[in-house]
Amino acid sequence: MTGAGRPRLSTKKRPGDTAREEILDASAELFTTRGFTNTSTRVIAEAVGLRQASLYHHFATKDDILDALLSGTVDEPLAVAQRIRDSRADPATQMYALAYFDAGQLGASTWNLGALYLLPELRSERFETFRDHRYRLMRLYAAIASDTLVQLGSERRPGTEDLPFRLVETVVNARADVENGRHDPTADAAGIAAAAVRVLGWTGDLEPVHEDAETLLEAVAGIAVDAQPLDRP
Amino acid sequence: MTGAGRPRLSTKKRPGDTAREEILDASAELFTTRGFTNTSTRVIAEAVGLRQASLYHHFATKDDILDALLSGTVDEPLAVAQRIRDSRADPATQMYALAYFDAGQLGASTWNLGALYLLPELRSERFETFRDHRYRLMRLYAAIASDTLVQLGSERRPGTEDLPFRLVETVVNARADVENGRHDPTADAAGIAAAAVRVLGWTGDLEPVHEDAETLLEAVAGIAVDAQPLDRP
């Protein structure tokens, strides 16, 4: 520690290129494993190796950290959903692509942040922007689902359009159960996407819609989501 | 308050026939609206109009209250699931019936207790029995789903058997969003049950399976779940 002055730089404790990213990563771990209420900014600062005063330089409150984390789970899917919706792909392909992308990102994130969606704290005005973005994402899902019902000539039962979004969010619950030691298989992103179109009345083969969805996602999101053909056990 | 001694009896604050039920109802409200960590046993005692010492007579710890509440959401579906599984109904009817019953009870409970399933506190040993019962319920779902895949001749993708249980749990998320002020329609119990068989490959009319499921539920659970025909908007 001789000649130090800024010891944090030499004892980096967390993944992340910047102090901000390290704070977010540590908070995500603490919020999802110990609970939001149980985690103080002091504990977060300690986990990153920062003084509390330096933490406040990046985030004025613990709510600001939570907001940044939750917005991160919604804002990219929202942008992708809008581009999917604006594409010329048929609705069932749009639906599969959106569910595939969103289930993939919820499943691949380092920490299972969706487990925080049901915190009563999120009802406060502080999180209005996050709630608004999440509802915008839900409405895009519902609009694509509604068009898919028309495309497939399916009967329209109240709330059916809400199901693809709900199916994608089940990735959060499945992950939580695996983290708690459950060993039974859970659906992967392709399985969730397949279910999302099935609940809307898709009855055919899923291989073509999977391939079209991959092409669409590469076009709108620049994402080579999967070089493999659809997994068939 | 003259001649009182037990003022609680004359100032009943909560629904419930017994002090135990009142404590559970008050705790369910406080845990789901303020959060588990944010709720002290003192606040629970106040909400019921009991002294804290009297509260401890019924529940030694706050964890014991949480365990009683969560077990209440799983134990009845578990018993019903076992009776459904032991019946001679075909697997698709069993699947629809279980999802219909369970989504119905999750949607109809006074408080949205499923919102507590993702609490990190539930990972502790104290909740091993609850977790074990929930996993037994999941496995019954998965066994019925697996038989339904065989019945329908559907392709078997890893994790597909997990989806009906997950779909039913989405009732919790949909309720939370409605309670937060979202107005878009969400699927009712019949909509969830329909989706549960669709993700397993059911492609036909849903009216007959709905009727068979009602008959099955009346037989195994003594529940006249719905005197109406399946809602068709």
Side-chain angles (χ1 to χ4, degrees):
Chain A
M1 289 288 201
T2 49
R6 296 177 66 193
R8 194 187 67 77
L9 293 175
S10 54
T11 57
K12 197 165 162 304
K13 290 191 171 185
R14 309 285 318 184
D17 288 337
T18 63
R20 185 187 157 88
E21 283 173 26
E22 289 178 50
I23 293 165
L24 288 174
D25 180 71
S27 303
E29 174 169 10
L30 291 162
F31 293 169
T32 53
T33 57
R34 291 193 188 194
F36 178 69
T37 314
N38 289 326
T39 302
S40 64
T41 50
R42 187 183 56 73
V43 170
I44 296 170
E46 272 171 21
V48 186
L50 275 180
R51 272 184 305 237
Q52 235 176 317
S54 313
L55 180 80
Y56 291 135
H57 174 71
H58 297 280
F59 295 98
T61 68
K62 200 171 71 160
D63 279 354
D64 291 350
I65 301 178
L66 180 60
D67 187 50
L69 287 171
L70 293 176
S71 297
T73 67
V74 165
D75 289 350
E76 196 191 358
L78 185 56
V80 170
Q82 190 60 61
R83 274 176 269 154
I84 286 174
R85 177 91 172 121
D86 293 341
S87 76
R88 289 159 174 271
D90 65 283
T93 301
Q94 292 188 3
M95 188 82 267
Y96 188 104
L98 176 54
Y100 188 45
F101 172 81
D102 201 9
Q105 67 98 18
L106 281 174
S109 61
T110 312
W111 306 105
N112 194 14
L113 290 167
L116 305 172
Y117 286 155
L118 294 175
L119 281 177
E121 283 85 348
L122 298 190
R123 297 182 191 177
S124 76
E125 220 170 293
R126 171 65 188 84
F127 295 97
E128 203 178 335
T129 303
F130 162 70
R131 287 200 308 272
D132 176 60
H133 288 195
R134 184 157 168 274
Y135 290 154
R136 279 172 57 197
L137 179 60
M138 275 189 206
R139 282 195 295 274
L140 279 167
Y141 265 88
I144 294 172
S146 181
D147 289 351
T148 305
L149 288 169
V150 172
Q151 177 192 342
L152 302 177
S154 305
E155 62 168 323
R156 188 176 294 262
R157 200 187 282 271
T160 305
E161 302 96 318
D162 195 39
L163 289 171
F165 180 86
R166 298 294 165 199
L167 270 165
V168 168
E169 278 199 346
T170 68
V171 170
V172 173
N173 300 56
R175 266 187 83 164
D177 286 323
V178 169
E179 287 166 8
N180 282 349
R182 188 172 174 259
H183 297 296
D184 303 278
T186 58
D188 61 7
I192 295 286
V197 294
R198 280 205 195 285
V199 298
L200 302 176
W202 181 276
T203 58
D205 188 12
L206 286 157
E207 190 86 33
V209 72
H210 180 86
E211 281 168 21
D212 289 349
E214 283 192 339
T215 307
L216 175 60
L217 282 173
E218 279 191 55
V220 301
I223 300 157
V225 277
D226 191 7
Q228 304 296 319
L230 183 57
D231 185 40
R232 283 278 165 97
Chain B
M1 288 287 201
T2 51
R6 296 177 66 192
R8 195 188 65 77
L9 293 175
S10 54
T11 57
K12 196 165 164 305
K13 292 190 170 186
R14 308 286 318 184
D17 288 337
T18 62
R20 185 186 158 86
E21 283 173 27
E22 290 178 49
I23 293 165
L24 289 173
D25 180 71
S27 303
E29 173 170 11
L30 291 162
F31 293 168
T32 54
T33 58
R34 291 192 188 193
F36 178 70
T37 314
N38 289 325
T39 301
S40 63
T41 50
R42 187 182 56 74
V43 169
I44 296 170
E46 271 171 21
V48 186
L50 276 179
R51 270 184 304 238
Q52 236 176 314
S54 313
L55 180 80
Y56 291 135
H57 174 71
H58 297 281
F59 295 98
T61 68
K62 199 171 70 160
D63 279 354
D64 290 350
I65 301 178
L66 181 60
D67 187 49
L69 287 171
L70 292 176
S71 297
T73 67
V74 165
D75 290 351
E76 197 191 356
L78 186 56
V80 170
Q82 191 59 61
R83 274 175 269 155
I84 286 173
R85 177 93 172 120
D86 294 341
S87 77
R88 288 159 176 270
D90 65 282
T93 301
Q94 292 188 2
M95 189 81 268
Y96 188 103
L98 176 54
Y100 187 45
F101 172 81
D102 201 9
Q105 66 98 18
L106 281 175
S109 61
T110 311
W111 305 105
N112 194 14
L113 290 166
L116 305 172
Y117 287 155
L118 294 175
L119 281 176
E121 283 85 349
L122 298 189
R123 296 182 192 177
S124 76
E125 219 170 293
R126 172 63 188 85
F127 295 97
E128 201 177 338
T129 303
F130 163 70
R131 287 200 309 272
D132 176 59
H133 288 195
R134 185 158 168 272
Y135 290 154
R136 278 171 59 196
L137 179 59
M138 277 190 205
R139 283 195 294 273
L140 279 167
Y141 265 89
I144 295 171
S146 181
D147 288 351
T148 305
L149 288 169
V150 172
Q151 177 193 344
L152 302 177
S154 305
E155 63 168 323
R156 187 176 294 263
R157 199 188 283 269
T160 305
E161 302 95 317
D162 195 39
L163 289 171
F165 180 86
R166 298 293 166 200
L167 270 165
V168 168
E169 279 199 345
T170 68
V171 170
V172 172
N173 300 55
R175 266 188 82 165
D177 285 324
V178 169
E179 286 166 9
N180 282 349
R182 188 171 174 259
H183 298 297
D184 303 276
T186 58
D188 60 8
I192 296 286
V197 293
R198 281 206 194 285
V199 298
L200 301 175
W202 180 275
T203 58
D205 189 11
L206 287 157
E207 190 85 33
V209 72
H210 180 86
E211 281 168 22
D212 289 348
E214 282 193 338
T215 307
L216 175 60
L217 282 174
E218 280 191 54
V220 301
I223 301 157
V225 277
D226 191 7
Q228 305 295 321
L230 183 56
D231 184 41
R232 284 277 165 98

